[in-house]
Amino acid sequence: MSEPSAPPISKRRSGQVMGGAFVSDPRCVVKGDKVIGVRCAHCRYPTSPPAPWCPACQHREQVEAEFGPGGTVWASTLVQIPVGRWAPPYAMAYIDLDDGPRVIAHLEAPAILAVGTRVNIVGGDDGDLIVRLA
Amino acid sequence: MSDRKEVVIRGVGSSHYGRFPDRRVESLAWEAILEAMQDAGAEAGEIEAVFVGSVFGPPGVATRTLRGIGIGGVPVITIEAACASGTAAYHEACEAVALGRYSCVLVFGIEHLSSLFTRGAIVPEATDSEGRAGLPLPGLYALQAQRYMAQFGTRPEAFAEVAVKNKGNGAHNPRAQLKGSAPTLDEVMSAKMIAEPLTFLQCCPVSDGSAAAVVGRPKGRRGEVRVLASAMASGQLWDHRSKEFWGEGPVRRAAQAAYAQSGIKPSEVDVLEVHDSFTIGEILTLEALDLCKVGEGASLAPSGHTQRGGQQPVNPSGGLLSRGHPLGATGTAQIAEIVWQLRGMAGAHQVPNAKLGLVETMGGGAAGMEGNASVVSLLALR
Ligand SMILES: [Zn+2]
């Protein structure tokens, strides 16, 4: 039996990045400079990651769709505490992708961007969506 | 509505709030329940059902708690609605009594976070897309604050003023985690930044604690508090189409239902305990409760309106910012505070002439939804 290392940060389901067990990834899938998802065949509601039916109108037929690379900052903040694999300072924002869903993203540069700023998807970093000033 | 029965809060109780890693979680609940039962003049045999609010349990905490006090054989229901778990349990108890299902229900909220989050802050939920991406809860609220500043030209000091007010109140609350601590505006503004614009002193402490209430049909005993209204609203989709701030919708819908049930106008409320897990939360909540127009909430603390001596004191107990936030216990702690205020028993943080009280709790933390649930309840001495 080996010596226990640093105490776990949490005893609950915190994911491997926090020293816990594997947790299936709930984040939207990033492919190149696009977010992959689905769009409702009836009301065009965009969803990522995909849902079992359209969350807005419950229509069952949804078609695969790509969103981005362009989007607009709903709001952004600079986080000054460590969270998971992220060390401070790091910036996060809600981005309304053009004709697409609102997604949470990391800003490439650790600085706050004004509401309404245009951004582009850079790509994914270990599954996290990264955007930068357009 | 006429066939609904009158519901009262017969008694309330609570533990102290703080970090008690060496205490059994049940012992905190026992403290709250025994005080509430004695306050209500209720015997264990009168309890027809038990409604419990808890987020992180542990699983079985309700039954383990009841073992110690010998209550059993009745329905025991544990409810999780994030930070609103305690008030959700309370709301369901009130509904059950109003509809005639039970005449006496024990409600308690219980949480023991110090044995779960060993380094302080709550670890974001790895099964949630935003939690997994590294967005901490203060980050979620900071995003609302940033949007708020952009929309209304609000300065960061306006958020800090909420912390000065609430922690100033909580300094006088002997059960609060941060009792005795009343920071100045400069101290709040210059505290360690957590997520801009929210500093450490604008974030509630992570706590252990429990609070309880005995809810039922009136017995005509002194100190019974009448439940004039209780309403719960869960979150709907929060997405690119949403015009409201995150979390605003459930509070607004629960408040409108509670005002409609009771015929009470927001301006008539004398004292409020609301969800101020982060300073911006109190501001958005007061707007959703219709105490003011959207965009004017940030002026309510600086203008004195929501100060302890103001026209509508908000969080005279110190709120979550001072009491601490034992998630599932917070809602029942707020209920207990308003009951004490209405009876004139709140001690050093008593508000003068509090006849009509309001409790609001908002629980959230599921990406893409406005929130998990909000409960709003209106209370008055019987
Ligand atoms: Zn649809």
Side-chain angles (χ1 to χ4, degrees):
Chain A
M1 209 170 109
S2 61
E3 281 292 303
S5 53
I9 226 162
S10 162
K11 291 170 184 148
R12 65 182 253 269
R13 191 178 293 120
S14 53
Q16 280 176 318
V17 69
M18 300 299 276
F22 170 81
V23 173
S24 179
D25 199 333
R27 293 169 294 185
C28 56
V29 173
V30 187
K31 199 168 121 190
D33 60 359
K34 296 276 175 44
V35 161
I36 308 300
V38 293
R39 188 185 288 287
C40 175
H42 176 68
C43 78
R44 297 192 76 253
Y45 185 81
T47 305
S48 180
W53 65 28
C54 172
C57 79
Q58 285 76 41
H59 190 75
R60 283 163 192 270
E61 192 192 344
Q62 300 178 97
V63 292
E64 286 185 17
E66 294 182 343
F67 308 110
T72 304
V73 173
W74 184 85
S76 70
T77 182
L78 195 57
V79 181
Q80 298 285 7
I81 53 171
V83 177
R85 67 192 189 88
W86 289 94
Y90 64 95
M92 294 191 80
Y94 278 123
I95 306 294
D96 288 337
L97 293 174
D98 297 343
D99 198 26
R102 178 170 299 168
V103 291
I104 194 76
H106 285 260
L107 304 184
E108 194 180 46
I112 289 173
L113 294 180
V115 167
T117 302
R118 291 290 301 166
V119 292
N120 283 324
I121 295 173
V122 177
D125 176 357
D126 202 23
D128 287 325
L129 176 64
I130 313 290
V131 302
R132 74 157 68 109
L133 206 55
Chain B
M1 296 293 276
S2 58
D3 54 346
R4 285 175 68 92
K5 298 185 190 309
E6 183 182 2
V7 183
V8 298
I9 300 171
R10 289 175 53 186
V12 292
S14 89
S15 69
H16 281 65
Y17 307 99
R19 291 181 73 84
F20 310 115
D22 54 343
R23 282 191 62 176
R24 283 185 65 188
V25 55
E26 297 84 357
S27 74
L28 294 166
W30 291 336
E31 221 176 293
I33 293 168
L34 263 56
E35 185 183 1
M37 296 278 287
Q38 183 170 5
D39 186 36
E43 303 293 332
E46 287 178 64
I47 303 297
E48 296 168 16
V50 182
F51 284 75
V52 183
S54 190
V55 178
F56 291 113
V61 66
T63 302
R64 244 170 266 123
T65 297
L66 294 177
R67 186 207 175 269
I69 50 178
I71 291 177
V74 298
V76 177
I77 313 290
T78 300
I79 293 175
E80 188 268 308
C83 312
S85 299
T87 13
Y90 155 84
H91 170 76
E92 287 303 315
C94 290
E95 282 295 295
V97 173
L99 297 173
R101 188 172 181 192
Y102 308 118
S103 58
C104 185
V105 180
L106 172 65
V107 181
F108 67 94
I110 177 71
E111 210 73 57
H112 200 264
L113 298 178
S114 67
S115 58
L116 204 55
F117 301 106
T118 50
R119 292 181 204 170
I122 289 177
V123 177
E125 177 61 44
T127 59
D128 184 77
S129 59
E130 293 176 356
R132 179 66 178 268
L135 182 68
L137 278 166
L140 175 59
Y141 277 91
L143 287 168
Q144 312 312 310
Q146 291 288 349
R147 179 84 186 184
Y148 193 95
M149 290 193 290
Q151 210 161 320
F152 304 114
T154 309
R155 290 168 50 78
E157 286 79 2
F159 305 129
E161 293 269 17
V162 173
V164 173
K165 169 177 73 71
N166 292 359
K167 286 175 195 277
N169 288 343
H172 304 284
N173 179 354
R175 302 191 197 215
Q177 181 161 353
L178 303 184
K179 57 181 175 287
S181 160
T184 64
L185 183 62
D186 275 354
E187 285 166 341
V188 174
M189 287 299 290
S190 60
K192 179 185 158 47
M193 188 57 73
I194 301 295
E196 288 188 26
L198 303 178
T199 61
F200 179 70
L201 292 179
Q202 298 183 57
C203 306
C204 62
V206 170
S207 317
D208 307 327
S210 178
V214 177
V215 170
R217 304 276 296 124
K219 288 275 190 181
R221 194 177 149 99
R222 253 179 98 85
E224 286 178 344
V225 165
R226 190 163 180 206
V227 179
L228 302 174
S230 176
M232 176 159 66
S234 63
Q236 300 174 354
L237 296 172
W238 187 75
D239 57 27
H240 56 286
R241 306 168 303 176
S242 302
K243 298 281 178 271
E244 295 182 314
F245 288 93
W246 175 86
E248 191 184 333
V251 181
R252 192 172 292 283
R253 293 192 293 275
Q256 282 169 357
Y259 293 137
Q261 271 176 38
S262 58
I264 288 163
K265 292 195 286 286
S267 59
E268 294 172 329
V269 176
D270 297 316
V271 59
L272 301 88
E273 287 284 331
V274 309
H275 201 74
D276 60 334
S277 49
F278 303 93
T279 49
I280 176 69
E282 175 170 311
I283 292 168
L284 293 174
T285 295
L286 296 181
E287 294 178 1
L289 291 175
D290 262 343
L291 251 64
C292 63
K293 294 198 190 82
V294 172
E296 293 177 359
S299 67
L300 291 176
S303 76
H305 187 88
T306 55
Q307 302 282 343
R308 198 139 45 88
Q311 212 180 327
Q312 292 186 296
V314 173
N315 288 324
S317 70
L320 284 60
L321 284 167
S322 196
R323 185 172 55 239
H325 189 14
L327 311 174
T330 282
T332 44
Q334 294 173 308
I335 297 283
E337 283 292 347
I338 289 294
V339 166
W340 291 324
Q341 287 287 351
L342 296 172
R343 290 175 178 169
M345 286 171 51
H349 59 283
Q350 178 67 46
V351 163
N353 300 319
K355 294 196 167 53
L356 190 53
L358 183 150
V359 167
E360 177 274 345
T361 331
M362 158 67 198
M369 296 294 275
E370 294 171 312
N372 300 27
S374 175
V375 174
V376 172
S377 186
L378 287 157
L379 303 171
L381 207 58
R382 192 164 184 266

